[in-house]
Amino acid sequence: PGAAPARDGPVRLWSDYLNVRLHPKSLYVIPQYMHDGECGVLEAFGQGERLLQDPGCLEELEDRLHFYVEECDYLQGFQVLCDLHDGFSGVGAKVTELLYDEYSGKGILTWGLTPLASPGDHRKDVCRLLNTVLGTVHLARHSSLLCPLSLSGTLGIK
């Protein structure tokens, strides 16, 4: 009880723990930001934004998106779940901007997720605050509705 389920192979990603297998086109792994990647941690809004300015990365993302959009009989909109406190706020901002530009008139419901505030380094707290503010502003600009979610009442901000 409480132990991780047995796997056939080695566990490399969070999705390896899922009981339901995801379609290969529904996951996009950023190799340089994996646990053993060359860049380390995706911790700043600008890093995430810059990631999707790479033409190869953006093209791959658009191909995966179009694969699913073409399967829809009647596309009504999108739901985007995005961390606000780290570099994924920049990734989410660029993704919502892409959706807003390519699928104008479709609803974009964005969920901005933040962790509980934890006592730590003051510089990291300031960086998390800046990521949250930048993410909130940019996501709100291109979303039909932005709903920030946190287990604390402060969006992870002290």
Side-chain angles (χ1 to χ4, degrees):
R7 294 281 156 220
D8 296 335
V11 174
R12 292 186 35 138
L13 304 169
W14 63 267
S15 59
D16 292 339
Y17 286 102
L18 293 176
N19 290 330
V20 177
R21 293 289 155 212
L22 299 173
H23 191 279
K25 290 245 184 207
S26 67
L27 293 175
Y28 180 64
V29 177
I30 305 168
Q32 62 266 38
Y33 291 105
M34 287 183 64
H35 297 290
D36 57 353
E38 62 196 44
C39 293
V41 181
L42 187 61
E43 60 185 351
F45 181 88
Q47 284 178 302
E49 250 188 345
R50 199 171 31 255
L51 186 65
L52 288 186
Q53 290 173 348
D54 172 34
C57 182
L58 188 59
E59 183 178 324
E60 180 69 26
L61 183 66
E62 287 176 337
D63 287 346
R64 290 167 184 263
L65 178 63
H66 290 155
F67 173 79
Y68 284 104
V69 168
E70 290 170 2
E71 294 291 318
C72 295
D73 291 331
Y74 180 68
L75 178 67
Q76 295 180 5
F78 301 92
Q79 286 194 51
V80 178
L81 280 83
C82 177
D83 288 336
L84 287 177
H85 68 282
D86 58 14
F88 286 101
S89 61
V91 173
K94 290 307 262 184
V95 167
T96 54
E97 183 179 344
L98 169 76
L99 295 173
Y100 183 82
D101 291 342
E102 286 204 25
Y103 301 98
S104 60
K106 302 296 180 190
I108 302 172
L109 173 59
T110 306
W111 304 92
L113 311 171
T114 59
L116 287 171
S118 60
D121 184 13
H122 179 68
R123 288 183 311 158
K124 286 187 178 185
D125 290 342
V126 170
C127 187
R128 287 184 190 124
L129 175 60
L130 289 172
N131 289 334
T132 302
V133 169
L134 288 169
T136 301
V137 168
H138 287 272
L139 288 169
R141 184 179 304 142
H142 299 292
S143 299
S144 305
L145 176 66
L146 171 63
C147 183
L149 295 176
S150 178
L151 293 176
S152 70
T154 61
L155 292 176
I157 302 163
K158 294 179 190 174

